[in-house]
Amino acid sequence: MSNNYQVQNLPDYFKQYKKSIKNPKKFWDKIADENFVWYQRWSKVLEYDMESANIKWFKNAKLNITKNCLDRHLSTRGDKTAIIFEPNNPEEEARYISYQELYDEVGKMANVLQSQGVKKGDRVVIYLPMIPELAITMLACARLGAIHSVVFAGFSSSAVSSRINDCDAKVVVTSDGSYRGAKTLDLKSIVDEALDKSPQVEKVLVVKRTNQAVKMKEGRDFWLDELLEKAPKDFVSVIMDAEDPLFILYTSGSTGKPKGMVHTTAGYMVYIGYTFKNVFNYQENDVYWCTADIGWITGHSYILYGPLLNGATTVIFEGVPTYPQPDRFWEVIEKHKVTQFYTAPTAIRSLAKESVEWVDKHDLSSLKVIGSVGEPINEEAWHWYNDQIGKKKCPIVDTWWQTETGGILISPLPFVTPTKPTYATLPLPGIQPVLMNEKRIEITENQQNGNLCIRFPWPGIARTIWGDHQRYIDTYFKAFPGKYFTGDGALRDEVGYYRITGRVDDVIIVSGHNLGTAPIEDSINEHPAVAESAIVGYPHDVKGNALYGYVMLKEVGEDRDKENLRKEINHLISEQIGPIAKLDKIQFVSSLPKTRSGKIMRRILRKIAEGDFSNFGDTSTLLNPEIVDEIKNQRIN
Ligand code: WTA
């Protein structure tokens, strides 16, 4: 990939940004043309209608994303490491997979899938741990035009089967088991259980990872290594239309059924290639590491596709941050001389609780850029990350985006945009954020809060919800006609920087005052005894809503006067936000119900605060479902 799409400095950013808004089609046309390989060029850069949520980028173009990720690098980067695989157990050797080897493996896997009957347009569900085979299978699907749907390998069997059924997959790729920290999980038996409810699945291909005993069903289940052994390496990539689906990825909705977000081929490729290069300031010999799981959009876009589109070296880490000890991240950075490190605030906060000696044991001087994604990063965590990990010399890219957006929309560009703690700062070129008030009127002034919408389509936007376009329209294009509604609230400061304040549904109106839960939680978290907290509203006779706080202390079982702690917490809030934001009830909990991607499931906390235990909805995405009963039983009346 040529270097000509990297923004150089702040004036260059403003120049690029202006161009991208004035003439978005011209802007993306040039990027697509100069930085990617195509079988056939597009007849039209963009065709769209926001009302019917009909969006087509690079109409009639023909391509295959794997030619862009693999084939075109072979002559210049064939021996370069594409993937560094760092296993769960540090005693096991890391694997270095070159672009040539990756190309060969993907070709073999595509041949295997084809021989098992997979064709262009078929859906393949992938339920694998963070091992190279996961990346290889996704790329093999893309190479032959099958639509991959990766299901995070921590989901329960019912979540797996509902996803298989929603997209009607006939083939599942899984492994015997997976390693996670000190634990081994039985992935194959979870799939077996799922398939009781998904009888349409014809083939299950099983990777050997843990070598544990598993049941293999004759005629349905096959060991992948045996099939790969006989498969040829070459597989001519299938010609895809720009708008052919590349993958489906499920994301939880505010209610019930998960939404299968559909991303298509050309627009996604162009947007992810461009944003990876710019947001991480990727340079040719860098070693890039994103700690997300590939089962989430962050992993799809910024472990796999973004890095490979740019011929980068990307780390795939199988383990967890605290195994065997709480310095695993820092050890891996030192070991592989990682230059870009991208993680989540929840990981930062949990590691910041550990002694800083774990960090100081390691040489982190290779780092150039550090990133954050997934939720607002609070001020305390931002400073710890900046001071202890970035050593005040690595810009923090606080990247705001969503499964639906495909790639990063608002983020500082390192060495270009001056950072500001807790601010995602400025939109990337091509992105037009707008703040809307409750009356659906655009807020044009700065220093205001509003509902964050995006005015104009960008190439990476999801095109639909699998099998339910109406739900797509209703969820994202109805609330503010003519715009994409993100569901997030944001504050724009005096210079136009954006700070994401959290989901709009987290806003609680108390006595007519709009209160965001995030700033209240931030101030509670500043109390030295507090590890984490979550605020929800519950109905109140006089105020409309009152505030209920769930507070997790740093040391469990500590002999502290709880009444006193409650007073101190409210005093802090009172001081920092105002007495209006004081909590009516504070419950101390041993942990908070979290999804596997680290988000607090407020829906459940809200119900408990309201005293409504009737139906907690879908809890299949919870990491720690057992906590729900504890919180319920200790609820404050
Ligand atoms: C939140 C993850 C604040 C936000 C890529 C968004 C953030 C939701 C940030 C999407 C950030 C993500 N600052 N909030 N830097 N990044 N979010 O679909 O509420 O798992 O709407 O995509 O995460 O979560 P998703």
Side-chain angles (χ1 to χ4, degrees), residues 298 373-376 398-403 488 500 503 599:
T298 306
V373 60
E375 52 173 320
D398 176 0
T399 64
W400 173 81
W401 59 297
Q402 312 177 297
T403 305
D488 281 334
I500 312 305
R503 301 296 304 184
K599 287 199 182 65

Side-chain angles (χ1 to χ4, degrees), residues 21-196:
I21 303 309
K22 208 166 148 220
N23 194 339
K25 294 179 195 173
K26 195 170 157 199
F27 179 81
W28 291 112
D29 181 272
K30 186 166 154 57
I31 287 172
D33 186 45
E34 291 176 355
N35 299 285
F36 301 89
V37 294
W38 305 87
Y39 283 119
Q40 180 187 299
R41 279 184 55 97
W42 42 99
S43 56
K44 218 172 168 189
V45 182
L46 170 66
E47 193 176 277
Y48 77 102
D49 172 46
M50 293 298 247
E51 204 181 317
S52 60
N54 208 324
I55 299 164
K56 291 189 172 73
W57 280 93
F58 309 109
K59 199 175 170 193
N60 294 323
K62 306 288 176 212
L63 73 156
N64 189 292
I65 193 170
T66 68
K67 264 184 87 87
N68 285 274
C69 289
L70 300 171
D71 307 40
R72 65 158 159 168
H73 300 312
L74 295 183
S75 60
T76 49
R77 302 185 176 104
D79 296 330
K80 179 176 173 175
T81 301
I83 291 174
I84 298 178
F85 172 58
E86 174 65 26
N88 177 63
N89 182 348
E91 314 268 294
E92 187 182 328
E93 267 181 45
R95 273 176 67 193
Y96 301 84
I97 302 169
S98 70
Y99 271 92
Q100 181 66 52
E101 286 162 341
L102 186 60
Y103 170 90
D104 293 346
E105 292 305 315
V106 169
K108 282 198 247 171
M109 185 68 195
N111 277 306
V112 165
L113 289 172
Q114 193 176 49
S115 69
Q116 297 300 313
V118 177
K119 304 179 305 295
K120 182 177 173 190
D122 288 352
R123 277 78 59 205
V124 173
V125 164
I126 307 176
Y127 186 66
L128 281 173
M130 284 284 286
I131 53 178
E133 288 81 356
L134 171 53
I136 290 164
T137 308
M138 292 164 79
L139 292 167
C141 286
R143 196 149 182 95
L144 69 68
I147 303 167
H148 58 70
S149 176
V150 180
V151 178
F152 172 64
F155 272 126
S156 64
S157 65
S158 59
V160 177
S161 97
S162 69
R163 285 160 177 75
I164 293 174
N165 293 347
D166 186 75
C167 70
D168 195 25
K170 301 281 190 313
V171 172
V172 175
V173 182
T174 187
S175 65
D176 46 3
S178 81
Y179 297 121
R180 264 189 93 66
K183 285 186 284 196
T184 309
L185 307 177
D186 299 333
L187 294 197
K188 177 63 167 65
S189 36
I190 295 170
V191 168
D192 290 343
E193 221 179 291
L195 295 196
D196 288 344

Side-chain angles (χ1 to χ4, degrees), residues 35 39 49 86 91 225 330 358 449 527 541 550 625 632:
N35 299 285
Y39 283 119
D49 172 46
E86 174 65 26
E91 314 268 294
D225 56 346
W330 324 131
W358 289 113
N449 270 298
H527 190 288
D541 286 350
Y550 298 89
K632 203 169 80 184

Side-chain angles (χ1 to χ4, degrees), residues 251-252 296-298 302 342 345 372-377 397-405 407-408 410 422-424 484 486-489 499-504 506 597 599:
T251 182
S252 43
W296 311 120
I297 191 69
T298 306
Y302 300 113
Y342 189 30
S372 167
V373 60
E375 52 173 320
I377 178 165
V397 288
D398 176 0
T399 64
W400 173 81
W401 59 297
Q402 312 177 297
T403 305
E404 296 84 340
T405 70
I408 297 164
I410 303 181
T422 75
Y423 280 76
Y484 166 82
T486 67
D488 281 334
R499 175 184 207 234
I500 312 305
T501 48
R503 301 296 304 184
V504 176
D506 294 342
S597 56
K599 287 199 182 65

Side-chain angles (χ1 to χ4, degrees), residues 514-578:
N514 272 20
L515 297 174
T517 52
I520 303 177
E521 289 163 6
D522 280 355
S523 51
I524 299 175
N525 297 351
E526 279 183 25
H527 190 288
V530 172
E532 208 171 1
S533 60
I535 305 298
V536 298
Y538 68 96
H540 187 277
D541 286 350
V542 182
K543 307 178 188 181
N545 289 297
L547 299 177
Y548 195 116
Y550 298 89
V551 175
M552 180 180 148
L553 298 177
K554 278 185 182 148
E555 278 157 63
V556 193
E558 194 196 16
D559 279 343
R560 284 192 76 129
D561 177 353
K562 296 281 159 64
E563 248 348 285
N564 221 5
L565 261 179
R566 288 192 174 93
K567 277 195 197 126
E568 288 172 14
I569 288 171
N570 265 332
H571 184 70
L572 253 178
I573 298 175
S574 218
E575 265 189 346
Q576 298 195 353
I577 300 169

